[in-house]
DNA sequence: CGCTAATCTAGAACAAGTTTCAGACTTGGT
DNA sequence: ACCAAGTCTGAAACTTGTTCTAGATTAGCG
């Protein structure tokens, strides 16, 4: 039932699964203390009882390791959330409640949160698939909170904005530039102002352009192109 | 005139100012090629013609260096933007146009963008003041685009959400998880849906259901613990 | 069981950020 | 011009992520 969908080209043996689990456990453990910096590959390896080379065979970089740790934690969170769905009236309220619950969970382990979020945002293209998994997991949680059966492209865009805000607000909190109250305000603001109402609602903001995916293309050398000359 | 407000505890001598500038130039240069990874402290030092220790005296870490580089580039951008302000009707259009212009500027130097944004999001508490400066600069640019004289707390919250979205959307683009078109959609979505209208300004409105007057959840300024101390 | 390929271990080695240190150079004040 | 304090240089050292190697173990298969 759990989303635990890993590529897993070759299915892992039992011992391997156990190793993998020990590694993730050690990672979360160390992250729980000192955060990102405290997760040192040699220490993880030792704590998990594997050789350094093995650790790198399972997780090709520290970032991969921490992103996997986040997937793991998100699974837990998702499971927990499902046990007691948000009770708000409007979709926006339920989303806000869900995110605030998640935020409270993170507050309980700020160092762990630090390690995971830093890894997520620092991840480069080489980790995209894994980061994408986390992103989809987050989207799923939010969408579930909305209770929408068949979200429209506009609603999906709105969810994307909510996710962006959630993510970035977390960063400002973790880096000490925003208080907990400020994060709550940001979450409530985006959930309140962004339109999550169904398409049959008149006056709702219209056509949020294309859907997701990597359609790319799109002209961006258009109007105002010459505007921002100069470097940057 | 320009926001070029640096702490500058001891005012720098001319030679020092020149060194600082050479360092920043070298940093941007190297970042312009290979991005974050290509900015190697030894190389920056050599390219700038200073000793490694000196580089570290000016910028206590690679992150500090890149964040300072971003401040620098943002200054340029801000100046450029001022020369031809956005022309849209509604505040939201002007903000979207401004951000898209900035985005186009970043696209011209994707590696540089990568280096700067990665540094920003990876920055830990030790770099908070500098990151905060960048954040305030960004806020200023957006606020300027709105044309609001005295933004209400609600409007400031909206701007925060826009900034979060902008920031996070950039990350997804840089890490190859979102296309340029997708970023544009996200920017347009948040600008369109978030309410930026003034209480006394008629006309364009996003007001989908919820109204901004709503209770204003959570006040500003209670930065429990680590909040923004030295605000503008 | 015995073979082969894959995996695991221990440990060295390498890369890049960061620190440290002794000595040379600047600067500011007298 | 001279001195003291602060700054800069060059180079080595240290840290931690990552890679590599040689030999031991394990897994799958006939």
């Amino acid at each position: 039932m759990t989303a635990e969908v890993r590529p897993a080209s070759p299915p892992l043996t039992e011992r391997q699964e156990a190793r993998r689990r020990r590694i993730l456990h050690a990672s979360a453990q160390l992250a729980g203390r000192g955060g990102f910096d405290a997760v040192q590959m040699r220490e993880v390896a030792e704590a998990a009882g594997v050789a350094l080379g093995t650790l790198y065979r399972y997780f090709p970089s520290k970032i991969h390791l921490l992103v996997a740790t986040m997937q793991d934690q998100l699974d837990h969170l998702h499971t927990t959330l499902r046990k007691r769905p948000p009770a708000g009236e409007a979709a926006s309220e339920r989303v806000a409640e869900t995110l605030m619950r998640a935020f409270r969970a993170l507050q309980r382990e700020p160092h762990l949160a630090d390690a995971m979020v830093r890894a997520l945002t620092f991840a480069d293209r080489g980790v995209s698939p894994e980061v994408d998994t986390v992103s989809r997991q987050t989207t799923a949680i939010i969408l579930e909170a909305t209770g929408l059966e068949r979200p429209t492209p506009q609603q999906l865009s709105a969810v994307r904005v909510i996710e962006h805000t959630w993510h970035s607000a977390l960063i400002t909190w973790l880096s000490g530039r925003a208080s907990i109250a400020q994060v709550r305000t940001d979450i409530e603001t985006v959930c309140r102002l962004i339109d999550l109402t169904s398409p049959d609602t008149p006056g709702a903001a219209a056509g949020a352009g294309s859907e997701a995916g990597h359609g790319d293309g799109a002209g961006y050398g258009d109007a105002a192109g010459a505007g921002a000359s100069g470097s940057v």
Side-chain angles (χ1 to χ4, degrees), chain A:
Chain A
M1 293 317 165
T2 326
E4 191 51 39
V5 184
R6 194 153 321 286
S9 326
L12 299 185
T13 72
E14 201 157 321
R15 297 179 51 131
Q16 287 176 320
E17 191 54 56
R19 268 191 209 104
R20 182 167 194 284
R21 204 119 291 288
R22 285 206 308 278
I23 292 174
L24 285 176
H25 185 258
S27 167
Q29 188 97 357
L30 287 169
R33 307 199 205 302
F36 187 89
D37 293 333
V39 180
Q40 302 194 354
M41 299 304 267
R42 283 172 246 260
E43 287 201 36
V44 172
E46 186 179 11
V50 302
L52 191 53
T54 305
L55 171 52
Y56 273 95
R57 169 183 285 273
Y58 280 73
F59 302 97
S61 77
K62 174 170 173 173
I63 300 295
H64 282 86
L65 171 58
L66 285 173
V67 171
T69 303
M70 178 147 203
Q71 290 176 359
D72 212 37
Q73 301 291 124
L74 259 188
D75 272 348
H76 288 194
L77 177 67
H78 200 165
T79 304
T80 304
L81 286 176
R82 271 206 254 250
K83 284 186 192 152
R84 206 153 49 79
E89 280 286 304
S92 59
E93 285 173 29
R94 291 193 296 274
V95 173
E97 185 185 334
T98 298
L99 292 182
M100 281 308 297
R101 258 198 240 173
F103 184 36
R104 255 174 253 120
L106 290 179
Q107 285 171 50
R108 254 171 258 130
E109 293 264 27
H111 287 303
L112 178 56
D114 170 76
M116 298 188 305
V117 173
R118 295 265 289 289
L120 256 202
T121 63
F122 192 62
D124 65 353
R125 299 179 127 76
V127 202
S128 285
E130 288 79 3
V131 175
D132 226 50
T133 298
V134 169
S135 180
R136 274 199 300 279
Q137 232 165 330
T138 308
T139 302
I141 289 176
I142 295 177
L143 269 181
E144 220 162 275
T146 65
L148 297 172
E149 295 288 323
R150 308 191 91 280
T152 66
Q154 290 79 29
Q155 289 167 330
L156 288 177
S157 284
V159 168
R160 281 183 65 92
V161 168
I162 291 174
E163 210 173 318
H164 283 316
T165 301
W166 156 251
H167 200 177
S168 172
L170 267 190
I171 294 172
T172 61
W173 168 61
L174 287 169
S175 66
R177 304 196 325 277
S179 65
I180 289 174
Q182 182 69 74
V183 172
R184 181 173 55 224
T185 300
D186 290 350
I187 290 175
E188 287 172 353
T189 298
V190 72
C191 288
R192 187 173 340 105
L193 297 185
I194 279 288
D195 181 22
L196 276 175
T197 52
S198 287
D200 53 339
T201 305
S210 48
E211 36 56 85
H214 287 217
D216 200 19
Y220 36 89
D222 55 350
S229 54
S231 34
V232 177

